[in-house]
Amino acid sequence: MKTLRFVLPSLVGVAMFLAPYPTEAGLNIGLGVLTDWAKALLDDWLPAIAVVIVCLSALLSLYAVLARPAWARDAKGIAAIFAVSRASAAVRAVGAVVACMILLGTGPAWITSGDTGGVILNDLMTVITIVFVFASFLLPFLTDFGLMEFIGTMLRRVVRPLFRLPGRAAVDAAASWFGSSIVGLVITTEQYDRGYYTEREALVIALNFSVVSVAFAKVVTDFAGLSEHFLPLYGTVVVSGLVAAVIVPRLPPLSRKRDRYSPAGRPATETDDAPGTGLLAHSLALALERAAQAPGPAALARHGLRTTFDVWFGLLPLVMVIGTASLAVANHTPIFDWLSYPLVPFAELLRLPEAAAAAPALLVGFADQFLPVILGQSIESELTRFVIACAAVTQLVYMSEVGAYLLKSKLSVSLPELFVVFVLRTLITVPICALFAHMIF
């Protein structure tokens, strides 16, 4: 019975988050298949649903802040989502106004156009709205029934010395690679909140292993006109990403983050192997112990509902504001062109053809992961487009999703720190990508 309590839910978690399934669009995970089905079912209604959620978030937050009703003064559970500071309520109000402008197509073009607010509302927020409905309720099958303990104990002898992380971080990485970066982020922040990661470990994982999915990497490759080079491109992404994951955590700002656990969590550090017990047996014993402590169906349902509402009413307004502002700066101002001037000599040093055109594309990924290949589409050199496509995947820190999510989380990280990590990852991964590109072309 104990074994079944570990095996059956864990198999559901693997099937939903880790097992790749072939689809018409390429490899996907079970969660991705469910998300695509729901998107097709709701179709044109999704942007309006997202706007309604953002508007409700603003109205309830403003009411809680200004009127101070009883439920806001003693906020618990779902009510706590709306009992926020005045600054957070103001951001949610701005997000609601911007969302309505985009949906109705009224207002300045730099807000409502298809390459700024339109991308955030129609392409990003609709996905987040749907994916978290499924992820919030399915994630416990991956994290609460012993699979993290089993894999973490089996892999810790490799993961700990290489990346200075618990072995369970391998589950986060696999969920990102087969699913999406947002799935990996959800797992990481959940594990931090429960005391399985320290703040430093959670940030290292979030900023080094929450890689975009294989499916998205294929989309980037096709858009860059490099479909026939997908396998070498993704191999380059894996190699450069692993190198960055070894180096970046050992540099500031991540190296300066404290190994402190969440105040709300209970520290759950890895244990040494039991004397006279093999690694497999010890891993299984820890997994069975965790499965025996797993919450029941009612507790899992309450947690799933709370997580869904937290993302809907807390994250979506932030994504609306930060994402739209980032894309507006990238697409409608010369700021990224100015900031990219120092990267021109860097690109020339790497012998990238059309270095002046490549430099802005290497920097604009901080705003959104798809912008580099959009800017680089006009570059004639396949070698340079190859490097830009690799950078779009390996830079990883982009404000339209990853940055907005981390700034909203309980992890202590600032916008300047996110930019520093982005620059470090660029300086480390791009030379490796250029080396492989020169070998291929």
Side-chain angles (χ1 to χ4, degrees):
M1 187 65 183
K2 286 184 178 180
T3 303
L4 288 178
R5 188 172 173 82
F6 157 58
V7 172
L8 294 181
S10 296
L11 285 177
V12 174
V14 169
M16 289 293 102
F17 290 93
L18 301 181
Y21 302 101
T23 67
E24 292 182 359
L27 291 178
N28 205 343
I29 59 172
L31 177 64
V33 173
L34 286 176
T35 301
D36 291 343
W37 168 79
K39 285 175 61 181
L41 182 67
L42 296 172
D43 198 20
D44 296 335
W45 287 96
L46 273 176
I49 291 172
V51 172
V52 169
I53 291 171
V54 173
C55 290
L56 281 175
S57 174
L59 291 173
L60 289 172
S61 298
L62 289 172
Y63 176 68
V65 168
L66 299 176
R68 298 293 294 166
W71 59 263
R73 291 194 298 271
D74 187 26
K76 294 181 180 179
I78 293 175
I81 297 172
F82 306 104
V84 295
S85 66
R86 290 179 178 269
S88 295
V91 170
R92 294 181 182 186
V94 172
V97 172
V98 171
C100 290
M101 289 170 62
I102 296 167
L103 182 68
L104 299 175
T106 59
W110 60 271
I111 291 179
T112 61
S113 65
D115 60 356
T116 53
V119 171
I120 299 301
L121 177 59
N122 299 314
D123 297 337
L124 182 56
M125 290 182 61
T126 52
V127 173
I128 294 177
T129 300
I130 288 296
V131 76
F132 274 97
V133 176
F134 296 111
S136 299
F137 291 94
L138 293 173
L139 192 59
F141 291 102
L142 189 71
T143 61
D144 289 5
F145 289 87
L147 183 65
M148 299 287 277
E149 282 70 18
F150 182 78
I151 294 178
T153 306
M154 291 291 292
L155 295 181
R156 71 167 185 234
R157 295 178 182 175
V158 176
V159 176
R160 177 64 74 180
L162 271 181
F163 309 113
R164 301 174 62 203
L165 294 171
R168 63 176 53 229
V171 179
D172 297 43
S176 296
W177 286 359
F178 292 132
S180 69
S181 57
I182 198 70
V183 172
L185 286 171
V186 174
I187 295 174
T188 302
T189 52
E190 283 265 334
Q191 295 291 287
Y192 167 72
D193 291 342
R194 296 184 181 188
Y196 288 98
Y197 294 142
T198 66
E199 184 176 75
R200 181 193 61 80
E201 290 168 346
L203 284 171
V204 167
I205 297 167
L207 295 174
N208 290 278
F209 290 98
S210 298
V211 186
V212 299
S213 66
V214 177
F216 181 82
K218 183 66 168 63
V219 172
V220 168
T221 306
D222 292 346
F223 194 85
L226 300 166
S227 301
E228 67 277 16
H229 300 293
F230 173 70
L231 289 180
L233 186 145
Y234 200 74
T236 302
V237 165
V238 171
V239 172
S240 59
L242 289 175
V243 171
V246 172
I247 297 174
V248 173
R250 290 170 167 82
L251 301 173
L254 294 182
S255 64
R256 294 178 179 173
K257 293 297 179 179
R258 288 184 287 180
D259 273 311
R260 63 179 179 184
Y261 290 92
S262 168
R266 183 177 61 186
T269 55
E270 293 179 325
T271 60
D272 296 329
D273 295 347
T277 304
L279 179 61
L280 179 60
H282 182 57
S283 302
L284 183 58
L286 293 177
L288 294 177
E289 181 181 345
R290 179 71 179 93
Q293 301 170 0
L300 291 176
R302 286 194 300 270
H303 179 266
L305 191 63
R306 174 66 166 77
T307 302
T308 299
F309 284 175
D310 190 34
V311 170
W312 276 4
F313 299 114
L315 178 62
L316 285 182
L318 197 61
V319 169
M320 188 79 262
V321 174
I322 293 179
T324 302
S326 298
L327 293 186
V329 170
N331 290 313
H332 295 274
T333 75
I335 290 177
F336 277 98
D337 290 331
W338 297 340
L339 293 175
S340 68
Y341 287 152
L343 286 180
V344 175
F346 176 66
E348 291 174 342
L349 182 64
L350 299 176
R351 296 189 293 118
L352 297 184
E354 303 174 74
L362 294 177
L363 188 65
V364 77
F366 185 64
D368 183 76
Q369 58 186 341
F370 207 61
L371 280 178
V373 288
I374 293 177
L375 289 187
Q377 196 176 25
S378 60
I379 294 176
E380 293 184 7
S381 169
E382 283 192 328
L383 187 153
T384 302
R385 294 204 310 273
F386 182 95
V387 173
I388 290 172
C390 288
V393 178
T394 59
Q395 287 171 325
L396 196 149
V397 186
Y398 48 96
M399 292 308 300
S400 63
E401 185 176 296
V402 172
Y405 187 89
L406 290 178
L407 290 175
K408 185 261 177 192
S409 73
K410 297 175 184 177
L411 295 168
S412 178
V413 65
S414 65
L415 181 61
E417 287 175 331
L418 291 175
F419 184 70
V420 170
V421 174
F422 170 83
V423 172
L424 288 175
R425 291 190 62 86
T426 300
L427 295 177
I428 292 169
T429 60
V430 169
I432 298 173
C433 297
L435 175 64
F436 277 88
H438 283 293
M439 294 169 59
I440 295 169
F441 295 97

